[in-house]
Amino acid sequence: MASANLIKNTLPAVVQIVALRQGFMGNLSSAWTGSGTIVHPQGVILTNCHVANPRAMGMPSPPADKLAIAITERSDEPPVLTYIAEIVVQSPEMDLAVLRIASRMDGKSVHRLNLPAVPIGDSDSLELGDVMSIFGYPGIGGETVTFTSGSVSGFTQQRDVTSGRAWIKTDATIAGGNSGGTSVNNQGYLVGIPTQAAAGTGISPVDARPVVDTNQDGRVDQRDTPMSIGGFINGLRPVNMAKPLLQKAGMQFTSGSRKRSTGKSTEKSTNKSSSRSKSKSAGKTVVESERGTSPEPKKRSGRLAGLKSGERPTAKSKTKAITPTITDLVFCDRVTKDGRPVNPSAILPGGKKQIYASFEFDGMRNRTKWGQVWSVDGQKVYEDEAAWSDGPRGRKTLAVQSRKPLPDGKYHLAIYVKGAIIAEGEVTVGRPNEDADIQISGQVIDRDTNRGINDALVIVLKPGIRTSDFIKKQEREMALTSTKTKRAGRFTLPDQLPKGQAYGLVVVARGYQDMAIESALRISPQAPEKAQIHPVPMVRE
C-alpha cells in the first residue's frame, strides 16, 4: 500500500497533456488528452508517443496546433493549463515520447523552472509481487487525477525489442486515458509508463472504442479517444527503455540511490546578473540557462545536460510592436485566481453563471481604446469599451456572467481595438442539437509547384446555381458563402453547408486563371461535421 507521503510527493509531478486545435474562428479547443510525468525540474516530461503525436503512430488524428500542459495543484480539483510544451524526441516503435516545456500559456518563454519531478528508477530491479502505484488522468471517471495500486504480475518480451523486459504486467486496474502516466515503486521512483491495453504474447487487446466525449465537441464519435471496454490497461513500458530517449533530450543518469526533490510548481525569476554560480561541493553539475547558471537541485536521480531552450528569443525586442495582435483565444467556465484557464473547450456545460475567455496579446499600448462584444445566437448581450491598461504583452481573461444560469446557445465574442475587430471566437453552452450542417476546410495551390496560394477568393454557390450563370451575372445573392485563403493557401468556410446538397465552387486568384467547378461539393446526409476537401490546383495565366 502506498504511503501518504509517496502520494503527496508524486502528485505534483503528474500532468495532463492537452492537445489544442485551432478552430475556424481562431479560438483553441481540446482535441484529445493524455497523461505525463515531469522527470526533471526544468520541465522535461515523459509520456506515450500516441499521446504526444498520434499521427506518428499511424492513428487517424488531425495534427495538434499546441500541446498544453495542465499542472496538478490539488488532488480534488482539475489540473490547470499552465505551460505549452514541444516534442523533443519520440519513438513510435516503443510508443514513448519526451516533451519539454517551452513557454507559459501567455507565450512568455521559460528559463529556470523548478518544478516537482519524479526521480527515474531502475525497472530491471522489479520483481514479481512488487507494489506499483499508478497516477494519471483517465478519460472515464472525472476530471481530477486518479490513483490506483497493484502488484507486478509478470514480464513480457517483444520480438523487435532487445531488452528482456519489453512490458511489465500488473494486476492494477488502470482506466483508459491514463496512457503516458506515472507508475512508481514503493520508494517513489518512476519505473513504468502505462501504455497498452493488454500485455502478453497471444493476448488480444481489450475492446477499445470511443465511448466518452474526450474532445468535448458535444458528441461521441470517431474523433474521440478510444477507451477500453470490458477491460483496462495492464501493460507498462519499463522506464529503462525510455532512458535513451531522455538522454537524447539532455538528461544524464548517475548510479546510486537518491531521494526525490519536491516543491511547489513555480517558475523562478531573478533580477540578478548572469554571473555563474559555482557549486560548493565537488562533483555537482551546474545547469546553464540563458540567464546564467544555477546549481543542480540536490535531490534527484537525473540531471540535465545540454538541454537547448529551442528557437525562442533570448531578449526582448527593442522595436515596439505597431500592430496589436490577439492569439490563442480559449473559452472555459473556470479560471484560477491568476487567470489561467481550466478545461478549455469549444462546448461548455449548461447551467453555468459565467463564461471566461482567455487570450494572449501583443503590441498593445496603454490608454488605447478597446472593447468587447458578446452575443448569444446572434443577439448582443454585453458590450464594453475602455482604455487599455494591461501593458504591451501578456495574457488577459474576460468574462460574461449573470446572477442566474446563462442560457444555452452559441456565444460569440468579438474584441476590437480602435474600432477594428482584431479577434473573435465562438463557444457553445449546453449540448448542441444534432448538427445537419458541415464545416468545410481546404487549400488552394499552384498546380505546378504545389505551393499554397494566399489571398485567393473561394466562393461557394447556393444549391441549384450554375457556375456559368454566376460568372455571367456575378450577383452576390447567388453565393452562399465565401472566404479568402490565408497562410499556405488554406481556408475554412465561415458558414457551414447543409448536408444532402451539391454546391458549385468558384476560385479566383491574382495571376491565375479563374476556376469554376460545377457541383464541386457533393455532401451526403451521412457526411461528418467537419471535412477537409482535396487541394484545389490553379493554373498560372
Side-chain angles (χ1 to χ4, degrees), residues 287-345:
V287 182
E288 295 189 0
S289 73
E290 295 171 356
R291 295 185 181 179
T293 61
S294 60
E296 178 194 19
K298 296 180 180 180
K299 300 177 182 179
R300 66 171 186 266
S301 63
R303 62 181 182 272
L304 202 63
L307 184 65
K308 297 180 179 179
S309 58
E311 298 296 328
R312 301 192 301 274
T314 57
K316 294 182 179 179
S317 174
K318 295 182 180 180
T319 304
K320 294 183 178 180
I322 299 176
T323 304
T325 59
I326 287 179
T327 57
D328 294 353
L329 174 63
V330 297
F331 292 93
C332 55
D333 57 14
R334 180 181 175 187
V335 296
T336 60
K337 291 182 179 179
D338 56 359
R340 289 175 293 161
V342 178
N343 292 333
S345 176

Short mmCIF file of all heavy atoms in Angstrom, two decimals, residues 287-345:
data_model
loop_
_atom_site.label_atom_id
_atom_site.label_comp_id
_atom_site.label_asym_id
_atom_site.label_seq_id
_atom_site.Cartn_x
_atom_site.Cartn_y
_atom_site.Cartn_z
N VAL A 287 23.54 23.49 -14.19
CA VAL A 287 22.70 23.52 -15.38
C VAL A 287 22.65 24.94 -15.90
O VAL A 287 22.19 25.84 -15.21
CB VAL A 287 21.28 23.02 -15.05
CG1 VAL A 287 20.43 23.00 -16.30
CG2 VAL A 287 21.36 21.64 -14.43
N GLU A 288 23.14 25.17 -17.10
CA GLU A 288 23.20 26.51 -17.65
C GLU A 288 21.86 26.91 -18.24
O GLU A 288 21.15 26.12 -18.81
CB GLU A 288 24.28 26.60 -18.73
CG GLU A 288 25.68 26.37 -18.18
CD GLU A 288 26.73 26.69 -19.21
OE1 GLU A 288 26.36 27.08 -20.33
OE2 GLU A 288 27.90 26.54 -18.90
N SER A 289 21.53 28.18 -18.08
CA SER A 289 20.34 28.74 -18.70
C SER A 289 20.71 30.05 -19.35
O SER A 289 21.84 30.52 -19.23
CB SER A 289 19.24 28.97 -17.65
OG SER A 289 19.57 30.07 -16.85
N GLU A 290 19.74 30.65 -20.04
CA GLU A 290 20.02 31.89 -20.73
C GLU A 290 20.26 33.04 -19.76
O GLU A 290 20.75 34.07 -20.14
CB GLU A 290 18.86 32.22 -21.68
CG GLU A 290 18.73 31.19 -22.79
CD GLU A 290 17.47 31.38 -23.59
OE1 GLU A 290 16.68 32.26 -23.22
OE2 GLU A 290 17.27 30.66 -24.57
N ARG A 291 19.84 32.88 -18.51
CA ARG A 291 20.04 33.95 -17.53
C ARG A 291 21.25 33.69 -16.64
O ARG A 291 21.44 34.34 -15.66
CB ARG A 291 18.80 34.08 -16.66
CG ARG A 291 17.57 34.54 -17.43
CD ARG A 291 16.42 34.76 -16.49
NE ARG A 291 15.21 35.17 -17.18
CZ ARG A 291 14.06 35.40 -16.60
NH1 ARG A 291 13.96 35.30 -15.30
NH2 ARG A 291 13.01 35.75 -17.29
N GLY A 292 22.02 32.69 -16.97
CA GLY A 292 23.16 32.35 -16.13
C GLY A 292 23.13 30.90 -15.77
O GLY A 292 22.67 30.06 -16.53
N THR A 293 23.64 30.53 -14.61
CA THR A 293 23.65 29.15 -14.17
C THR A 293 23.07 29.04 -12.79
O THR A 293 23.05 29.99 -12.02
CB THR A 293 25.10 28.60 -14.15
OG1 THR A 293 25.85 29.39 -13.22
CG2 THR A 293 25.74 28.69 -15.52
N SER A 294 22.57 27.85 -12.50
CA SER A 294 22.05 27.59 -11.18
C SER A 294 22.49 26.21 -10.76
O SER A 294 22.57 25.31 -11.58
CB SER A 294 20.52 27.66 -11.16
OG SER A 294 19.98 26.71 -12.04
N PRO A 295 22.82 25.99 -9.50
CA PRO A 295 23.25 24.67 -9.06
C PRO A 295 22.14 23.66 -9.29
O PRO A 295 20.97 23.97 -9.19
CB PRO A 295 23.53 24.87 -7.56
CG PRO A 295 23.67 26.33 -7.39
CD PRO A 295 22.81 26.97 -8.42
N GLU A 296 22.56 22.44 -9.62
CA GLU A 296 21.59 21.36 -9.79
C GLU A 296 20.88 21.11 -8.47
O GLU A 296 21.50 21.10 -7.41
CB GLU A 296 22.32 20.10 -10.22
CG GLU A 296 21.40 18.90 -10.37
CD GLU A 296 22.19 17.61 -10.47
OE1 GLU A 296 23.36 17.62 -10.06
OE2 GLU A 296 21.63 16.62 -10.92
N PRO A 297 19.53 20.94 -8.47
CA PRO A 297 18.84 20.57 -7.25
C PRO A 297 19.49 19.33 -6.64
O PRO A 297 19.81 18.38 -7.34
CB PRO A 297 17.41 20.29 -7.72
CG PRO A 297 17.27 21.14 -8.94
CD PRO A 297 18.62 21.13 -9.59
N LYS A 298 19.64 19.32 -5.33
CA LYS A 298 20.44 18.30 -4.67
C LYS A 298 19.82 16.91 -4.75
O LYS A 298 20.51 15.93 -4.82
CB LYS A 298 20.65 18.69 -3.21
CG LYS A 298 21.46 19.96 -3.04
CD LYS A 298 21.63 20.28 -1.57
CE LYS A 298 22.46 21.55 -1.38
NZ LYS A 298 22.62 21.88 0.05
N LYS A 299 18.47 16.83 -4.71
CA LYS A 299 17.85 15.52 -4.55
C LYS A 299 17.06 15.12 -5.79
O LYS A 299 15.90 15.44 -5.93
CB LYS A 299 16.92 15.52 -3.33
CG LYS A 299 17.65 15.85 -2.04
CD LYS A 299 16.68 15.90 -0.88
CE LYS A 299 17.38 16.26 0.42
NZ LYS A 299 16.44 16.34 1.53
N ARG A 300 17.71 14.45 -6.71
CA ARG A 300 17.01 13.87 -7.85
C ARG A 300 17.92 12.85 -8.49
O ARG A 300 19.13 12.84 -8.30
CB ARG A 300 16.59 14.94 -8.86
CG ARG A 300 17.74 15.64 -9.57
CD ARG A 300 17.18 16.51 -10.69
NE ARG A 300 18.24 17.08 -11.50
CZ ARG A 300 18.75 18.27 -11.29
NH1 ARG A 300 18.33 18.98 -10.28
NH2 ARG A 300 19.69 18.73 -12.06
N SER A 301 17.33 11.98 -9.32
CA SER A 301 18.11 10.86 -9.85
C SER A 301 18.69 11.15 -11.21
O SER A 301 19.49 10.39 -11.71
CB SER A 301 17.21 9.63 -9.95
OG SER A 301 16.18 9.88 -10.87
N GLY A 302 18.27 12.21 -11.89
CA GLY A 302 18.82 12.53 -13.20
C GLY A 302 19.18 13.99 -13.23
O GLY A 302 18.60 14.81 -12.54
N ARG A 303 20.13 14.36 -14.05
CA ARG A 303 20.46 15.78 -14.18
C ARG A 303 20.48 16.14 -15.65
O ARG A 303 20.70 15.30 -16.53
CB ARG A 303 21.81 16.10 -13.53
CG ARG A 303 23.01 15.38 -14.12
CD ARG A 303 24.27 15.79 -13.37
NE ARG A 303 25.46 15.18 -13.92
CZ ARG A 303 25.91 13.99 -13.55
NH1 ARG A 303 25.26 13.29 -12.65
NH2 ARG A 303 27.00 13.49 -14.08
N LEU A 304 20.26 17.37 -15.93
CA LEU A 304 20.10 17.85 -17.29
C LEU A 304 21.43 18.35 -17.80
O LEU A 304 22.14 19.06 -17.12
CB LEU A 304 19.07 18.98 -17.30
CG LEU A 304 18.38 19.26 -18.62
CD1 LEU A 304 17.58 18.06 -19.05
CD2 LEU A 304 17.47 20.46 -18.45
N ALA A 305 21.74 17.99 -19.04
CA ALA A 305 22.99 18.44 -19.65
C ALA A 305 22.73 18.80 -21.10
O ALA A 305 22.31 17.96 -21.88
CB ALA A 305 24.07 17.35 -19.57
N GLY A 306 22.97 20.03 -21.45
CA GLY A 306 22.87 20.44 -22.84
C GLY A 306 21.46 20.53 -23.37
O GLY A 306 21.25 20.43 -24.57
N LEU A 307 20.48 20.70 -22.53
CA LEU A 307 19.11 20.82 -22.99
C LEU A 307 18.92 22.22 -23.56
O LEU A 307 18.99 23.20 -22.86
CB LEU A 307 18.12 20.59 -21.86
CG LEU A 307 16.65 20.60 -22.26
CD1 LEU A 307 16.36 19.44 -23.18
CD2 LEU A 307 15.77 20.52 -21.03
N LYS A 308 18.67 22.29 -24.86
CA LYS A 308 18.56 23.58 -25.52
C LYS A 308 17.20 24.20 -25.24
O LYS A 308 16.23 23.51 -25.04
CB LYS A 308 18.77 23.42 -27.03
CG LYS A 308 20.17 22.93 -27.38
CD LYS A 308 20.33 22.80 -28.88
CE LYS A 308 21.73 22.31 -29.24
NZ LYS A 308 21.90 22.17 -30.70
N SER A 309 17.17 25.49 -25.29
CA SER A 309 15.93 26.21 -24.97
C SER A 309 15.04 26.41 -26.20
O SER A 309 14.01 27.01 -26.12
CB SER A 309 16.26 27.58 -24.36
OG SER A 309 17.05 28.32 -25.27
N GLY A 310 15.44 25.90 -27.37
CA GLY A 310 14.60 25.98 -28.56
C GLY A 310 14.78 27.31 -29.28
O GLY A 310 15.53 28.19 -28.88
N GLU A 311 14.09 27.44 -30.37
CA GLU A 311 14.18 28.65 -31.17
C GLU A 311 13.29 29.74 -30.57
O GLU A 311 12.22 30.04 -31.07
CB GLU A 311 13.78 28.35 -32.61
CG GLU A 311 14.69 27.33 -33.29
CD GLU A 311 16.10 27.85 -33.43
OE1 GLU A 311 16.26 29.07 -33.58
OE2 GLU A 311 17.04 27.04 -33.38
N ARG A 312 13.74 30.29 -29.47
CA ARG A 312 12.97 31.34 -28.81
C ARG A 312 13.88 32.54 -28.59
O ARG A 312 15.08 32.39 -28.37
CB ARG A 312 12.42 30.86 -27.47
CG ARG A 312 11.53 29.64 -27.59
CD ARG A 312 10.81 29.42 -26.27
NE ARG A 312 11.73 29.21 -25.17
CZ ARG A 312 12.24 28.03 -24.87
NH1 ARG A 312 11.93 26.98 -25.57
NH2 ARG A 312 13.06 27.90 -23.84
N PRO A 313 13.36 33.74 -28.61
CA PRO A 313 14.20 34.92 -28.40
C PRO A 313 14.76 34.94 -27.00
O PRO A 313 14.10 34.57 -26.05
CB PRO A 313 13.23 36.09 -28.63
CG PRO A 313 11.87 35.51 -28.40
CD PRO A 313 11.96 34.08 -28.84
N THR A 314 16.00 35.38 -26.88
CA THR A 314 16.65 35.43 -25.58
C THR A 314 16.55 36.80 -24.94
O THR A 314 16.92 36.97 -23.80
CB THR A 314 18.14 35.06 -25.71
OG1 THR A 314 18.76 35.96 -26.64
CG2 THR A 314 18.28 33.64 -26.25
N ALA A 315 16.05 37.75 -25.65
CA ALA A 315 15.91 39.09 -25.08
C ALA A 315 14.72 39.75 -25.72
O ALA A 315 14.30 39.42 -26.82
CB ALA A 315 17.18 39.91 -25.34
N LYS A 316 14.16 40.71 -25.01
CA LYS A 316 13.01 41.43 -25.53
C LYS A 316 13.44 42.33 -26.69
O LYS A 316 14.50 42.94 -26.67
CB LYS A 316 12.36 42.27 -24.43
CG LYS A 316 11.75 41.45 -23.32
CD LYS A 316 11.08 42.34 -22.30
CE LYS A 316 10.44 41.51 -21.18
NZ LYS A 316 9.81 42.37 -20.16
N SER A 317 12.61 42.37 -27.68
CA SER A 317 12.91 43.19 -28.84
C SER A 317 12.87 44.67 -28.46
O SER A 317 12.02 45.10 -27.71
CB SER A 317 11.89 42.91 -29.95
OG SER A 317 12.09 43.80 -31.02
N LYS A 318 13.81 45.42 -29.01
CA LYS A 318 13.85 46.85 -28.72
C LYS A 318 12.84 47.62 -29.57
O LYS A 318 12.52 48.76 -29.27
CB LYS A 318 15.26 47.39 -28.97
CG LYS A 318 16.31 46.81 -28.03
CD LYS A 318 17.67 47.41 -28.30
CE LYS A 318 18.72 46.83 -27.35
NZ LYS A 318 20.05 47.40 -27.61
N THR A 319 12.36 46.95 -30.64
CA THR A 319 11.40 47.61 -31.51
C THR A 319 9.99 47.39 -31.00
O THR A 319 9.55 46.27 -30.81
CB THR A 319 11.51 47.06 -32.95
OG1 THR A 319 12.85 47.23 -33.40
CG2 THR A 319 10.55 47.80 -33.87
N LYS A 320 9.25 48.47 -30.78
CA LYS A 320 7.90 48.35 -30.28
C LYS A 320 6.97 47.83 -31.36
O LYS A 320 7.07 48.20 -32.52
CB LYS A 320 7.40 49.71 -29.78
CG LYS A 320 8.16 50.23 -28.57
CD LYS A 320 7.56 51.54 -28.09
CE LYS A 320 8.28 52.05 -26.86
NZ LYS A 320 7.72 53.33 -26.39
N ALA A 321 6.08 46.92 -30.94
CA ALA A 321 5.12 46.39 -31.88
C ALA A 321 4.17 47.49 -32.32
O ALA A 321 3.75 48.33 -31.54
CB ALA A 321 4.34 45.24 -31.24
N ILE A 322 3.84 47.50 -33.61
CA ILE A 322 2.97 48.52 -34.15
C ILE A 322 1.54 48.03 -34.21
O ILE A 322 0.60 48.73 -33.83
CB ILE A 322 3.46 48.95 -35.55
CG1 ILE A 322 4.87 49.52 -35.47
CG2 ILE A 322 2.50 49.94 -36.19
CD1 ILE A 322 5.47 49.89 -36.80
N THR A 323 1.36 46.82 -34.70
CA THR A 323 0.02 46.27 -34.86
C THR A 323 -0.33 45.37 -33.68
O THR A 323 0.37 44.39 -33.42
CB THR A 323 -0.08 45.46 -36.16
OG1 THR A 323 0.31 46.29 -37.25
CG2 THR A 323 -1.49 44.95 -36.37
N PRO A 324 -1.40 45.65 -32.94
CA PRO A 324 -1.79 44.78 -31.83
C PRO A 324 -2.33 43.45 -32.36
O PRO A 324 -3.02 43.41 -33.38
CB PRO A 324 -2.86 45.59 -31.12
CG PRO A 324 -3.42 46.50 -32.16
CD PRO A 324 -2.28 46.82 -33.07
N THR A 325 -2.01 42.39 -31.66
CA THR A 325 -2.49 41.06 -32.04
C THR A 325 -3.03 40.34 -30.82
O THR A 325 -2.55 40.53 -29.70
CB THR A 325 -1.37 40.21 -32.67
OG1 THR A 325 -0.29 40.08 -31.71
CG2 THR A 325 -0.84 40.84 -33.93
N ILE A 326 -4.03 39.50 -31.07
CA ILE A 326 -4.59 38.63 -30.04
C ILE A 326 -4.61 37.21 -30.58
O ILE A 326 -5.12 36.97 -31.68
CB ILE A 326 -6.00 39.09 -29.64
CG1 ILE A 326 -5.93 40.37 -28.82
CG2 ILE A 326 -6.74 38.01 -28.85
CD1 ILE A 326 -7.27 40.93 -28.41
N THR A 327 -4.04 36.28 -29.83
CA THR A 327 -3.94 34.89 -30.27
C THR A 327 -4.32 33.95 -29.14
O THR A 327 -4.48 34.36 -27.99
CB THR A 327 -2.51 34.57 -30.73
OG1 THR A 327 -1.59 34.83 -29.65
CG2 THR A 327 -2.11 35.41 -31.93
N ASP A 328 -4.43 32.67 -29.48
CA ASP A 328 -4.67 31.59 -28.51
C ASP A 328 -5.88 31.89 -27.62
O ASP A 328 -5.81 31.79 -26.39
CB ASP A 328 -3.43 31.34 -27.65
CG ASP A 328 -2.28 30.78 -28.47
OD1 ASP A 328 -2.50 30.47 -29.64
OD2 ASP A 328 -1.17 30.67 -27.94
N LEU A 329 -6.97 32.25 -28.24
CA LEU A 329 -8.21 32.51 -27.51
C LEU A 329 -8.88 31.20 -27.13
O LEU A 329 -9.14 30.35 -27.98
CB LEU A 329 -9.15 33.34 -28.39
CG LEU A 329 -10.56 33.61 -27.86
CD1 LEU A 329 -10.49 34.44 -26.59
CD2 LEU A 329 -11.39 34.31 -28.92
N VAL A 330 -9.10 31.00 -25.83
CA VAL A 330 -9.76 29.79 -25.35
C VAL A 330 -10.93 30.18 -24.45
O VAL A 330 -10.89 31.21 -23.78
CB VAL A 330 -8.79 28.85 -24.58
CG1 VAL A 330 -7.69 28.35 -25.49
CG2 VAL A 330 -8.20 29.55 -23.36
N PHE A 331 -11.96 29.32 -24.46
CA PHE A 331 -13.13 29.54 -23.62
C PHE A 331 -13.19 28.45 -22.55
O PHE A 331 -12.82 27.30 -22.79
CB PHE A 331 -14.41 29.49 -24.45
CG PHE A 331 -14.55 30.64 -25.41
CD1 PHE A 331 -14.10 30.54 -26.71
CD2 PHE A 331 -15.13 31.84 -25.00
CE1 PHE A 331 -14.22 31.59 -27.60
CE2 PHE A 331 -15.26 32.89 -25.88
CZ PHE A 331 -14.80 32.77 -27.19
N CYS A 332 -13.65 28.83 -21.36
CA CYS A 332 -13.78 27.87 -20.27
C CYS A 332 -14.80 28.42 -19.27
O CYS A 332 -15.19 29.59 -19.35
CB CYS A 332 -12.43 27.62 -19.58
SG CYS A 332 -11.61 29.11 -18.99
N ASP A 333 -15.24 27.57 -18.35
CA ASP A 333 -16.20 28.03 -17.33
C ASP A 333 -15.54 28.20 -15.98
O ASP A 333 -16.22 28.40 -14.97
CB ASP A 333 -17.39 27.08 -17.23
CG ASP A 333 -16.97 25.65 -16.92
OD1 ASP A 333 -15.81 25.44 -16.53
OD2 ASP A 333 -17.80 24.75 -17.09
N ARG A 334 -14.20 28.13 -15.97
CA ARG A 334 -13.49 28.27 -14.70
C ARG A 334 -12.05 28.70 -14.97
O ARG A 334 -11.42 28.21 -15.91
CB ARG A 334 -13.51 26.94 -13.95
CG ARG A 334 -12.80 26.97 -12.61
CD ARG A 334 -12.86 25.61 -11.97
NE ARG A 334 -12.09 25.57 -10.74
CZ ARG A 334 -11.86 24.46 -10.04
NH1 ARG A 334 -12.35 23.32 -10.47
NH2 ARG A 334 -11.15 24.50 -8.95
N VAL A 335 -11.53 29.60 -14.14
CA VAL A 335 -10.14 30.01 -14.21
C VAL A 335 -9.56 30.03 -12.80
O VAL A 335 -10.29 30.09 -11.81
CB VAL A 335 -9.97 31.40 -14.87
CG1 VAL A 335 -10.42 31.37 -16.32
CG2 VAL A 335 -10.73 32.46 -14.09
N THR A 336 -8.24 30.00 -12.72
CA THR A 336 -7.58 30.12 -11.42
C THR A 336 -7.58 31.59 -11.00
O THR A 336 -7.97 32.47 -11.76
CB THR A 336 -6.13 29.61 -11.50
OG1 THR A 336 -5.41 30.39 -12.47
CG2 THR A 336 -6.11 28.15 -11.93
N LYS A 337 -7.11 31.85 -9.79
CA LYS A 337 -7.08 33.22 -9.28
C LYS A 337 -6.21 34.12 -10.13
O LYS A 337 -6.47 35.32 -10.23
CB LYS A 337 -6.59 33.22 -7.83
CG LYS A 337 -7.58 32.58 -6.84
CD LYS A 337 -7.04 32.66 -5.42
CE LYS A 337 -8.04 32.05 -4.44
NZ LYS A 337 -7.54 32.10 -3.04
N ASP A 338 -5.17 33.54 -10.75
CA ASP A 338 -4.31 34.36 -11.59
C ASP A 338 -4.70 34.29 -13.06
O ASP A 338 -3.94 34.68 -13.94
CB ASP A 338 -2.84 33.96 -11.43
CG ASP A 338 -2.60 32.48 -11.71
OD1 ASP A 338 -3.58 31.76 -12.02
OD2 ASP A 338 -1.44 32.04 -11.65
N GLY A 339 -5.91 33.79 -13.35
CA GLY A 339 -6.46 33.87 -14.70
C GLY A 339 -6.12 32.74 -15.63
O GLY A 339 -6.43 32.82 -16.82
N ARG A 340 -5.51 31.66 -15.16
CA ARG A 340 -5.20 30.54 -16.05
C ARG A 340 -6.44 29.70 -16.30
O ARG A 340 -7.19 29.40 -15.39
CB ARG A 340 -4.10 29.67 -15.43
CG ARG A 340 -2.72 30.32 -15.42
CD ARG A 340 -1.72 29.47 -14.69
NE ARG A 340 -2.02 29.39 -13.27
CZ ARG A 340 -1.56 28.45 -12.45
NH1 ARG A 340 -0.81 27.49 -12.92
NH2 ARG A 340 -1.87 28.46 -11.18
N PRO A 341 -6.68 29.31 -17.56
CA PRO A 341 -7.91 28.57 -17.89
C PRO A 341 -7.87 27.13 -17.39
O PRO A 341 -6.81 26.52 -17.36
CB PRO A 341 -7.95 28.62 -19.42
CG PRO A 341 -6.53 28.78 -19.83
CD PRO A 341 -5.87 29.60 -18.75
N VAL A 342 -9.02 26.62 -17.00
CA VAL A 342 -9.17 25.24 -16.58
C VAL A 342 -10.14 24.55 -17.53
O VAL A 342 -11.25 25.01 -17.75
CB VAL A 342 -9.71 25.15 -15.13
CG1 VAL A 342 -9.92 23.70 -14.71
CG2 VAL A 342 -8.76 25.84 -14.16
N ASN A 343 -9.70 23.45 -18.14
CA ASN A 343 -10.52 22.66 -19.06
C ASN A 343 -11.14 23.50 -20.17
O ASN A 343 -12.36 23.60 -20.29
CB ASN A 343 -11.63 21.92 -18.29
CG ASN A 343 -11.08 20.83 -17.39
OD1 ASN A 343 -10.02 20.29 -17.66
ND2 ASN A 343 -11.80 20.53 -16.34
N PRO A 344 -10.32 24.10 -21.04
CA PRO A 344 -10.89 24.88 -22.15
C PRO A 344 -11.60 23.96 -23.14
O PRO A 344 -11.21 22.81 -23.33
CB PRO A 344 -9.66 25.53 -22.78
CG PRO A 344 -8.54 24.58 -22.48
CD PRO A 344 -8.85 24.05 -21.10
N SER A 345 -12.63 24.46 -23.76
CA SER A 345 -13.41 23.63 -24.68
C SER A 345 -14.22 24.51 -25.61
O SER A 345 -14.53 25.67 -25.30
CB SER A 345 -14.33 22.70 -23.89
OG SER A 345 -15.16 21.95 -24.77
#
